[in-house]
Amino acid sequence: MKTVLMLLTCFVFMSGCHAQHDSMDATLWVQTSAEYQGNSEMVFNVAESRLSLLRDKQGVTADIDQAKSFGCLAGVSCPGLAAAGLIPAVVLDIDETVLDNSAFLARLIKNGGQWQPDSWDDWVAERAAVPVPGALAFVERAKAEGVAVIYMTNRRCSVREAGNELSLKQPCPQKLDTLENLASAGFPPLVPVDLLILRGERPEWDRAEKQTRRQYVAERYRIMMLIGDDLGDLASNIKKSSVEERARFVSAHEFLLGNYWFQLTNPTYGSWKSALKGKPAQDYLRLD
Ligand SMILES: [Mg+2]
């Protein structure tokens, strides 16, 4: 009966014929809700309030692997790390952490398209992403507090077949695009102590897993704070784990969240979504 009604509605109004896109609610939440805006502002406000304290805690790192390399734990004072005298840095993811790409997703919904590496690369080249609420003020404050700003993104370096001359000669045109987009979104320019690290910029950085890139940073900086919308932005070898393992991991590291780790909300995509595998998505629904 319901199907008949739907078909009838479809026939009479010539609309409602398309099933709602999977990402419709999530994208609307990001683009229209004051709650999304408020949540992002809240995360960055808390991170901002921790900046000077964490900058001065010279023996403490937010990065589990960096702590381990000194025989220590993240978020706990570590004499060896303090003695190393590394430059304090915040490590921020880019997409859905400091830049909001929801317009790209909105276009896919409108046009009935799916995420493809090529269409994503066109979007990156457009340099049209806008700042995530709260991110600009946070980055400005971090710089004012003398903290290095390191952007670590899974935007992937790839040579382009088409584009302007300058772009065709580049091994990683995505890097210039991202720098330009950060600038047009209002982020302060990178100074020599800051870094922008893309996926695949070096052969050993070709995985979505950020461990080797964080390791590179950890040899030069003290990672005092990690900020991202994906679990993989905060820790290594966990993003591809099962739903249950990911939950257990967060419970075990709960003391780092809001203190050293700052998690933005992204209902539209991410490793949370790819963790839903092996059975139909609806089988993950909890009914009691
Ligand atoms: Mg992200």
Side-chain angles (χ1 to χ4, degrees):
M1 184 63 191
K2 208 175 164 192
T3 315
V4 175
L5 271 177
M6 269 175 67
L7 282 172
L8 201 65
T9 312
C10 187
F11 180 74
V12 174
F13 299 102
M14 294 305 283
S15 65
C17 304
H18 301 286
Q20 180 171 297
H21 192 283
D22 276 353
S23 299
M24 178 68 100
D25 280 352
T27 306
L28 284 173
W29 190 73
V30 169
Q31 292 200 327
T32 71
S33 78
E35 288 79 0
Y36 165 76
Q37 182 190 350
N39 193 83
S40 302
E41 298 274 9
M42 176 177 71
V43 171
F44 279 115
N45 277 345
V46 178
E48 217 176 300
S49 75
R50 298 278 294 167
L51 274 170
S52 60
L53 182 78
L54 299 192
R55 178 199 58 205
D56 296 340
K57 280 191 174 191
Q58 290 172 20
V60 184
T61 174
D63 182 43
I64 291 174
D65 296 329
Q66 182 169 40
K68 210 178 278 176
S69 72
F70 288 93
C72 298
L73 295 170
V76 176
S77 189
C78 178
L81 175 62
L86 300 169
I87 305 162
V90 295
V91 175
L92 295 129
D93 171 53
I94 290 190
D95 295 314
E96 279 48 71
T97 296
V98 300
L99 290 180
D100 163 6
N101 302 284
S102 60
F104 171 69
L105 206 56
R107 292 182 199 174
L108 291 182
I109 294 172
K110 278 271 185 190
N111 305 328
Q114 291 295 323
W115 192 97
Q116 298 283 347
D118 284 357
S119 56
W120 170 253
D121 196 46
D122 290 344
W123 166 256
V124 169
E126 210 178 307
R127 307 170 177 182
V130 295
V132 166
L136 287 177
F138 173 81
V139 171
E140 276 164 15
R141 181 71 187 277
K143 291 193 154 287
E145 296 283 355
V147 172
V149 173
I150 297 174
Y151 298 104
M152 189 180 291
T153 175
N154 277 342
R155 291 182 169 206
R156 195 174 200 165
C157 292
S158 65
V159 178
R160 291 200 178 114
E161 311 277 305
N164 63 42
E165 257 212 14
L166 189 71
S167 163
L168 285 175
K169 288 175 189 157
Q170 297 286 329
C172 188
Q174 294 78 12
K175 186 153 182 162
L176 182 60
D177 290 333
T178 303
L179 281 169
E180 291 288 332
N181 198 157
L182 286 169
S184 67
F187 288 92
L190 274 70
V191 296
V193 75
D194 300 330
L195 293 175
L196 167 61
I197 297 177
L198 281 81
R199 178 177 176 185
E201 230 182 315
R202 295 182 176 194
E204 67 271 26
W205 295 350
D206 203 35
R207 293 166 65 215
E209 169 64 55
K210 292 180 168 176
Q211 185 174 27
T212 54
R213 285 176 279 166
R214 271 194 295 268
Q215 194 181 342
Y216 170 85
V217 171
E219 284 160 13
R220 294 155 180 83
Y221 299 83
R222 176 171 59 86
I223 301 175
M224 55 173 256
M225 194 180 273
L226 287 158
I227 307 184
D229 66 296
D230 194 288
L231 201 48
D233 301 325
L234 308 177
S236 303
N237 302 314
I238 187 63
K239 65 185 269 169
K240 291 197 170 161
S241 301
S242 70
V243 171
E244 295 77 12
E245 284 166 329
R246 290 160 53 86
R248 274 198 298 275
F249 180 84
V250 168
S251 296
H253 297 86
E254 176 266 333
F255 72 102
L256 294 171
L257 287 157
N259 290 315
Y260 300 91
W261 292 358
F262 298 87
Q263 179 95 70
L264 277 298
T265 300
N266 180 5
T268 63
Y269 67 88
S271 61
W272 71 270
K273 214 166 180 178
S274 35
L276 305 179
K277 58 191 173 196
K279 57 182 182 182
Q282 66 165 3
D283 291 356
Y284 281 96
L285 292 171
R286 278 199 311 269
L287 304 180
D288 49 36

